Each structure stands twice: as C-alpha cells, then as structure tokens.
Amino acid sequence: NAHPVGCHQNVQNQANYIKANATTKQSNPNVLVVGASTGYGLASRIALTWAYGAKSLGIFYERPASGKRTATAGYYNSVALHQLAAQDGISAESINGDAFSDDIKRETIDRIKGSMGKIDILVYSIAAPRRIHPRTGAEHNSVLKPIGQSYTSQTIDLNREVVTDITLEAASEQEITDTVAVMGGEDLEFWTDALLAEDLLAQGATVVTYSYIGPELTWAIYRDGTIGKAKEDLETRVNTLDKTLSDKLGGNVYLSVNKAIVSQASMAIPVVPLYMSILNQIMDTKGTNEDPIAQMGRLFTEHLGPDLSPTLDAERRIRLDDRELRADVTAEIIERWGQINTDNFREISDYNGLQHSFRNLFGFDVDGVNYDEAVEIELNL
C-alpha cells in the first residue's frame, strides 16, 4: 500500500521546492517535529531542513515493511528524508513510536540530551484517530460528528464515485470528550511541559501547532462539530502555553491555521473531499493553490524562523488559509456546491486531481517513477 521510490521522489520534490523558492539562511536551529512523517508535519521538517539547515529529530508512529507487506508511506517518507539530508550534510534523526506515550517522550528527551542540545523550534502536527492516555490508561477514539443535532449534506462516495447525500448523527457527550482528548491540546501541553522541566527549550524558543477553520459550508461537520471542539481546546492551551513560555524563556507558542489539503485524515471527513475537489479547481484556475510544502515554505520563511515575526489575527493565529477564504473563492464554491451532482462533478470540480493527489500520498502516480521496475521494500531508518 505504499511505493518506496515514489515516496522518495515526493520528498525529493519537496526539498527541491524549498531550495528553489526559499530565501535560505543557514542558522542550523535544533528542531523537534512531533508528527513528522506525512502532511504538514513532514512538510515542516523539510522546509526547516533545507531553508535553515536545521538539525531535526522527528517523532512518528509508522509501520516498517514485513514480509510481502510494504511499509507505510510515512515510514518511506522518513527514510527518504534521512537519505537526502545525509547527502547534503544535514543531521536528521527519528524515533518511531507512540508520541502520546510517556515512554516516547522520555526517549526523545534522552536523545536530545545525547546528540542535539536545546530545541529552538518545536512543531506539533499529530493527526491520529486514537490515544491511550499516558496518565489514566483510558482509550480515547475520535469521531467526526456534528454536535447538538444530526446533519445532512452531500459528499462523494469514493468507492462508487457518485455524489450522494449523507446524514451524520449528533455526537454524544462521551464522543465529544474522547475527540477532545485525542485531537485537543493536552498532549502538546505534555510535550512542552516535559521539555521545559528538563530545560531543553532554548531561550526564545518557538512552538507551533496547526489547525483548520474552513468556510461556513463545512462548519457543521468541522468547526462546529467534534473536531471543532478539539481545536477550541487546542487554541485555549496554545494561548496558556504562550504565556508560560514567554515568562520563562522569552519564547512563543503559535497556532497556524492552514489551508485544506488532501491527506489520509482529511479524506476520511464526510463532505470535505467534495469541497476540496471544488476548491482546488478554483484555486488552480486563479493560480493561488498551495500544497503542504508551499504552505510550510511560506510559514517558515515569512512568519516563523530566525529574525522573523509572524503576522497574527485578532485571536493570535497565523492565517495561511487566507487564499482559501478569499471572498471570490468562497462565492464560487457556494455557487458550484448548489450545482454539483453525479453527472457533472468531474467537470465542475477537480475530482481527478483529488484522486491523483491521494495516490501521491502513498508514492503512486508520481512523475518520473518507473512502476514496472522491481523495488526493495525493506528499508531501514
């Protein structure tokens, strides 16, 4: 379910993008990325590695190859990053395990003490469906549901490739609590507190995590739903942690609101794949679309990085979703949303591009890769 050469080429392409587009400054910061193997976490690590020569430690939970079964895409992505960084003389290390656990936090602390020094930038980018709480042992599973009442809208059935209605029942109080436990800000707090307790955050350190708001069209299932409650918890904890870090080290904790992207997590959210199909076609036409590496290139060369000060909104958030939420883009999405059906969705949305992007996540449909050649699937970090 993943192609190692395709994944390597994906990482190479992202590194090349940063080399070509970022105004680099070889300040060599120490960077810890929690959730470093796919999506915005991987793109963050790549952007910091090749824009600043960052010495990075990545934390992720990925499966290596076993027998005839391939490794996960995130595992191959990380192998590729290690190889490419080594070729350019840049240090990259990784720990493969459950970032929610205290054991992995302790292993990370030991690794930082042994081979890195204090952390200048902490990136927290975990998108996980399940969390075993390290203090209580309770299992929490996140759900994608509305709150208060059921919600009916249209979506793409990805198996049958038809536009169809979908109804989601309202979440229970326990489901809301569990989703906040998995996707809220408590684990970021645990990571930051653990590093502070061991004096492993540098003076003036920066911590950044990610969120999404989206247009009103998606709010019932996202911003006003269970995920939205988790993101509210995250924002609250970010602001509390910011005060703590500012008082202790003169550092800051930021939340960056990013654009909707094709990812394993986003494709599982009802309504969102159809929305992204429309959004991407419109933004491509306007020349404003950005993939994760373009977003993270902008974040770490315009807002966060050596000698940079971020532009914040009234709630202290960095807004990388500015182009997605432009009034002309939103108006066109609403117009197409009212027109789209099974007969026309391939014309008035970029569903084919959505499929292509999704296959890319796993190393398939990548330009320049010969898929007829045999490849070694058992690769070691």
Side-chain angles (χ1 to χ4, degrees):
N1 58 2
H3 195 284
V5 177
C7 290
H8 187 283
Q9 188 62 52
N10 276 338
V11 175
Q12 177 77 73
N13 292 344
Q14 292 180 71
N16 289 345
Y17 175 89
I18 294 298
K19 291 177 182 179
N21 292 279
T23 302
T24 59
K25 180 179 180 180
Q26 296 301 302
S27 54
N28 309 116
N30 287 333
V31 172
L32 173 62
V33 183
V34 181
S37 55
T38 61
Y40 279 127
L42 174 65
S44 299
R45 192 177 188 186
I46 292 169
L48 288 163
T49 297
W50 278 280
Y52 299 111
K55 183 177 185 178
S56 70
L57 175 59
I59 314 300
F60 47 77
Y61 201 9
E62 299 289 354
R63 189 192 70 243
S66 177
K68 293 184 178 180
R69 190 178 189 184
T70 71
T72 54
Y75 187 91
Y76 289 141
N77 290 340
S78 302
V79 170
L81 186 139
H82 279 221
Q83 293 172 342
L84 294 168
Q87 289 172 15
D88 288 343
I90 304 171
S91 173
E93 299 183 26
S94 296
I95 294 174
N96 191 5
D98 181 5
F100 291 136
S101 73
D102 285 342
D103 286 346
I104 290 299
K105 290 180 177 68
R106 282 191 291 269
E107 184 177 346
T108 302
I109 286 167
D110 291 342
R111 184 77 68 88
I112 293 169
K113 288 180 177 179
S115 63
M116 290 188 76
K118 294 184 180 184
I119 298 299
D120 299 295
I121 300 174
L122 165 60
V123 176
Y124 186 90
S125 182
I126 290 183
R130 174 177 173 270
R131 179 188 181 205
I132 302 296
H133 198 285
R135 312 292 160 82
T136 68
E139 179 178 338
H140 300 282
N141 293 284
S142 62
V143 298
L144 307 165
K145 288 187 175 183
I147 292 175
Q149 60 185 7
S150 62
Y151 170 68
T152 298
S153 187
Q154 55 188 357
T155 191
I156 293 181
D157 183 320
L158 298 172
N159 293 317
R160 296 189 295 139
E161 296 190 334
V162 296
V163 176
T164 184
D165 286 343
I166 185 170
T167 298
L168 301 169
E169 298 303 320
S172 67
E173 287 300 319
Q174 185 59 52
E175 288 175 324
I176 297 171
T177 299
D178 284 339
T179 303
V180 171
V182 177
M183 305 181 72
E186 185 182 50
D187 189 57
L188 171 62
E189 197 172 89
F190 285 176
W191 272 100
T192 307
D193 288 347
L195 294 168
L196 281 171
E198 297 289 338
D199 192 25
L200 291 178
L201 289 177
Q203 192 72 26
T206 295
V207 177
V208 64
T209 188
Y210 303 130
S211 189
Y212 180 71
I213 293 176
E216 191 172 349
L217 184 68
T218 66
W219 283 2
I221 187 60
Y222 200 96
R223 192 66 184 171
D224 294 337
T226 51
I227 302 177
K229 284 294 182 186
K231 296 304 183 183
E232 286 176 13
D233 179 80
L234 178 63
E235 289 185 33
T236 299
R237 292 179 191 260
V238 161
N239 290 326
T240 301
L241 286 170
D242 179 72
K243 186 176 187 310
T244 300
L245 200 61
S246 178
D247 290 345
K248 291 187 176 183
L249 296 172
N252 289 105
V253 183
Y254 296 111
L255 184 136
S256 176
V257 182
N258 301 338
K259 174 189 171 290
I261 58 166
V262 177
S263 68
Q264 288 176 260
S266 67
M267 291 291 280
I269 304 173
V271 179
V272 171
L274 181 60
Y275 164 74
M276 285 194 299
S277 295
I278 299 172
L279 170 71
N280 287 337
Q281 187 176 71
I282 292 169
M283 292 187 72
D284 282 340
T285 300
K286 294 179 181 294
T288 58
N289 208 359
E290 293 176 304
D291 57 10
I293 194 61
Q295 284 257 293
M296 294 302 95
R298 187 149 64 103
L299 177 65
F300 290 110
T301 60
E302 295 182 13
H303 295 278
L304 301 178
D307 304 321
L308 293 175
S309 296
T311 300
L312 305 176
D313 69 6
E315 283 76 43
R316 284 196 66 256
R317 301 174 299 200
I318 300 167
R319 299 303 296 266
L320 294 184
D321 61 345
D322 49 348
R323 299 172 187 178
E324 175 181 356
L325 296 185
R326 262 177 31 184
D328 58 326
V329 173
T330 301
E332 195 165 343
I333 289 170
I334 292 171
E335 180 181 356
R336 295 192 193 191
W337 191 262
Q339 300 170 350
I340 202 163
N341 56 48
T342 298
D343 294 330
N344 66 13
F345 76 94
R346 291 184 187 274
E347 285 71 50
I348 65 172
S349 78
D350 188 19
Y351 178 69
N352 291 337
L354 186 83
Q355 289 180 304
H356 173 73
S357 296
F358 189 68
R359 288 193 287 263
N360 267 193
L361 297 177
F362 303 94
F364 297 102
D365 270 11
V366 179
D367 291 342
V369 177
N370 184 350
Y371 292 98
D372 292 327
E373 289 185 353
V375 295
E376 177 58 63
I377 63 170
E378 293 190 13
L379 304 178
N380 295 316
L381 278 167

